[in-house]
RNA sequence: GCGGACGUAGCUCAGCUGGUAGAGCGCCAGGUUGUGGUCCUGGAUGUCGUGGGUUCGAGCCCCAUCGUUCGCCCCA
């Protein structure tokens, strides 16, 4: 038997996975609301230029990793690889650059055309937060605090450490890049193959190398903090002060970098100590050039995103679902009474189920399987007396009571 | 995109140097025609990922393909 398969790198989220997934989203949505964020839903695909223009046409990201195709009119469209670009596009499209700041929460599927691995799918899901229109480090601190609170409320915060860094403003960053290239060029022959390529293409990312010898060479490399101009240094100090005031613990990690030019100042990652070397569960930073690159007015922004699948994996336990009440008519004659009781319970906010068929034994088995807390039994005797038998399934105790008292008994 | 490993029942897996499939769990039925979770008895389920090849004979060997997984590249 050949069963139909989902497209490579996609997965069905069902059962326990679905409950964990929803729990992550609901927790994040609720906490983001506490920070004043409104939830946006932007399209899952955009014109390719929305993503490509900002990333550089030649990077691997564009040529290799985007889910891009032509629609029937020959337009090149791309399934969104991340959420920030679409949110910034929407901000500009809707003229919201006149109404700043905006705090935006989003959640949904993202797509990258990569080789699938465990926890890395071609369709995956993210939650994200953006604060657009605030140039102050307080916005960065709020975004980070929101991320921290979500992780805490998910119960995964304990095994996670916040790493922060600054890239400085454009001048600071350019000065640092020059200094870093100067230094590393002297050791070019000793660098790993990948780092040699990065030295030309994207030198800051060498700081993120895994090669032991590269790491040794980097020990004496110039540091970003020595190249920050006064304004950038003040911004970074402001961030750290605000984080401390929010009660957020962090470590400074100069190896956290971002590859694209629209990033500046703050870069941060929440790293799980439980998941090995690649344990980033939530990451983000400041992107003061992005909205302008998108065709809007110069508008600062800061935000983060986190993979829902990875967070769901970290949850200690699957969130419990409410236990329903099983309504069990003995036969056809009691069916109508059962339906009436179902309606009463559900309108009162009590989860209630009835099995579609089967004798009493079968229906009790089913009640057990759906983890019902109680069964409401109705046979000819109860029907004649206008009563029901209420059975508590955990201890098996049961008693007969008038139908009118059922709601109160289940309250 | 590159390299390694793997693909047997719904799930987890066993299957000797090739002789045409098994366990546990789950599922269904009965023991109990007004009572579940425990127990006992019985039952169903697989073109052994797919296609081709070698062979008298392939779950097992060979090739291809699809998928999964580990690592690399990348990680917006």
């Amino acid at each position: 038997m050949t069963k139909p398969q989902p497209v490579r790198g996609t997965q069905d989220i069902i059962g326990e996975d679905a409950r964990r997934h929803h729990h992550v989203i609901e927790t994040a949505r609720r906490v983001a609301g506490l920070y004043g964020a409104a939830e946006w839903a932007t399209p899952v695909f955009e014109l390719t230029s929305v993503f490509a223009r900002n990333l550089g046409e030649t990077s691997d990201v564009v040529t290799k990793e985007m889910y891009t195709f032509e629609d029937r009119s020959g337009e090149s469209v791309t399934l969104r690889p991340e959420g920030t670009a679409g949110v910034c596009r929407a901000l500009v499209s809707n003229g919201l650059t006149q109404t700043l700041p905006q705090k935006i929460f989003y959640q949904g599927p993202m797509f990258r055309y990569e080789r699938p691995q465990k926890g890395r799918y071609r369709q995956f899901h993210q939650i994200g937060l953006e604060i657009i229109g605030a140039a102050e480090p307080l916005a960065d601190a709020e975004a980070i605090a929101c991320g921290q609170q979500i992780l805490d409320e998910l119960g995964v915060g304990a095994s996670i450490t916040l790493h922060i860094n600054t890239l400085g403003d454009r001048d600071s960053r350019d000065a640092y890049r020059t200094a870093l290239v100067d230094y590393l060029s002297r050791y070019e022959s000793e660098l790993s193959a990948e780092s040699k390529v990065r030295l030309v293409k994207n030198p800051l990312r060498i700081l993120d190398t895994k090669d032991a010898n590269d790491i040794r060479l980097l020990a004496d490399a110039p540091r970003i903090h020595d190249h920050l101009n006064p304004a950038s240094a003040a911004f970074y100090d402001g961030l750290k002060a605000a984080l401390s005031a929010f009660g957020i613990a962090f470590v400074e990690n100069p190896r956290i970098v971002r590859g694209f030019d629209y990033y500046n100042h703050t870069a941060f990652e929440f790293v799980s100590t439980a998941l090995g070397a690649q344990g980033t569960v939530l990451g983000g930073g400041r992107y003061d050039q992005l909205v302008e690159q998108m065709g809007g007015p110069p508008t600062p922004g800061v935000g983060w995103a986190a993979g829902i699948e990875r967070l769901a994996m970290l949850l200690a336990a699957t969130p419990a679902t409410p236990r329903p009440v099983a309504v069990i008519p003995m036969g056809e004659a009691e069916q109508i009474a059962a339906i009436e009781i179902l309606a009463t319970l559900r309108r009162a906010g009590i989860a209630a189920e009835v099995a579609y068929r089967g004798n009493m034994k079968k229906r009790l088995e089913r009640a057990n399987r759906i983890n019902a807390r109680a069964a409401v039994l109705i046979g000819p005797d109860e029907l004649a007396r206008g009563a029901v038998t209420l059975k508590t399934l955990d201890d098996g105790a049961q008693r007969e009571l008038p139908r009118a008292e059922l709601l109160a008994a289940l309250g």
Side-chain angles (χ1 to χ4, degrees):
Chain A
M1 175 182 55
T2 300
K3 289 175 224 170
Q5 290 180 327
V7 172
R8 175 168 213 197
T10 65
Q11 55 164 347
D12 302 307
I13 302 171
I14 292 174
E16 219 179 275
D17 289 341
R19 288 202 295 281
R20 297 171 89 100
H21 198 93
H22 287 136
H23 179 65
V24 171
I25 292 171
E26 279 159 25
T27 302
R29 176 183 283 139
R30 179 173 51 73
V31 173
L34 300 177
Y35 287 78
E39 184 166 353
W40 285 15
T42 65
V44 297
F45 63 110
E46 299 272 358
L47 296 178
T48 298
S49 57
V50 169
F51 304 112
R53 191 195 299 164
N54 306 297
L55 299 179
E57 311 287 340
T58 57
S59 67
D60 266 9
V61 167
V62 174
T63 56
K64 198 170 96 180
E65 317 216 353
M66 294 209 304
Y67 226 117
T68 297
F69 51 91
E70 287 192 359
D71 70 11
R72 292 192 190 187
S73 70
E75 193 95 71
S76 178
V77 297
T78 295
L79 301 178
R80 62 181 182 190
E82 51 94 32
T84 306
V87 165
C88 288
R89 194 234 80 225
L91 184 92
V92 175
S93 300
N94 291 280
L96 295 172
T97 50
Q98 300 295 312
T99 325
L100 297 174
Q102 294 276 342
K103 294 179 177 177
I104 301 115
F105 170 76
Y106 63 85
Q107 100 3 81
M110 307 292 164
F111 305 83
R112 294 184 190 178
Y113 199 87
E114 299 178 286
R115 182 81 171 241
Q117 284 178 35
K118 189 182 184 115
R120 267 182 93 163
Y121 298 93
R122 286 184 172 178
Q123 175 175 339
F124 58 104
H125 299 79
Q126 287 188 330
I127 52 174
L129 181 82
E130 315 290 352
I131 301 179
I132 302 179
E136 293 76 9
L138 175 55
D140 307 53
E142 270 204 311
I144 291 170
C146 180
Q148 174 78 259
Q149 189 168 345
I150 290 168
L151 297 175
D152 286 342
E153 298 210 11
L154 287 172
V156 302
S159 61
I160 288 173
T161 308
L162 169 62
H163 296 242
I164 66 168
N165 190 28
T166 184
L167 308 168
D169 61 15
R170 184 167 251 177
D171 289 344
S172 301
R173 180 181 167 146
D174 288 348
Y176 176 58
R177 194 201 326 254
T178 304
L180 186 66
V181 171
D182 283 351
Y183 170 82
L184 288 174
S185 296
R186 279 182 270 147
Y187 302 97
E188 185 172 355
S189 57
E190 297 177 49
L191 286 172
S192 66
E194 306 94 66
S195 290
K196 278 179 191 156
V197 175
R198 285 171 166 174
L199 188 57
V200 185
K201 237 170 75 177
N202 202 340
L204 291 186
R205 287 211 60 86
I206 295 176
L207 297 173
D208 202 26
T209 185
K210 285 171 211 153
D211 185 90
N213 192 51
D214 289 353
I215 290 172
R216 190 180 58 74
L217 289 172
L218 285 168
D220 295 322
R223 295 174 176 278
I224 178 67
H225 300 94
D226 299 327
H227 294 266
L228 294 177
N229 57 27
S232 297
F235 188 98
Y236 191 47
D237 288 341
L239 169 67
K240 289 186 284 187
L243 282 177
S244 297
F246 272 121
I248 308 283
F250 58 85
V251 300
E252 296 184 64
N253 180 349
R255 290 181 58 194
I256 293 182
V257 292
R258 290 284 114 106
F260 296 112
D261 283 342
Y262 57 76
Y263 283 109
N264 57 359
H265 291 301
T266 312
F268 62 90
E269 294 180 0
F270 286 88
V271 181
S272 169
T273 51
L275 282 184
Q278 296 190 344
T280 299
V281 295
L282 185 154
R286 178 162 280 276
Y287 47 85
D288 290 341
Q289 321 295 324
L290 182 56
V291 173
E292 188 175 4
Q293 281 186 29
M294 199 72 70
T299 307
V302 59
W304 53 256
I308 296 175
E309 284 85 352
R310 189 166 280 188
L311 288 173
M313 271 193 305
L314 286 172
L315 294 181
T318 302
T321 44
R323 300 178 68 183
V325 170
V327 178
I328 302 182
M330 271 194 56
E332 276 298 312
E334 295 82 27
Q335 176 99 326
I336 295 298
I339 293 169
E340 290 167 359
I341 289 167
L342 269 182
T344 302
L345 293 177
R346 288 168 176 168
R347 285 181 189 132
I350 295 171
E353 282 221 64
V354 66
Y356 295 118
R357 66 175 75 88
N359 58 24
M360 192 174 204
K361 178 185 167 72
K362 288 275 160 278
R363 292 183 195 225
L364 269 166
E365 279 173 4
R366 177 175 158 75
N368 213 55
R369 213 176 311 137
I370 64 175
N371 195 29
R373 61 184 166 118
V376 176
L377 309 174
I378 321 153
D381 297 347
E382 286 88 346
L383 196 60
R385 292 195 283 269
V388 295
T389 293
L390 179 61
K391 182 183 181 72
T392 313
L393 288 174
D394 287 338
D395 60 11
Q398 65 182 59
R399 67 193 162 102
E400 189 173 305
L401 70 169
R403 265 175 71 170
E405 291 175 21
L406 179 61
L407 254 187
L410 285 170

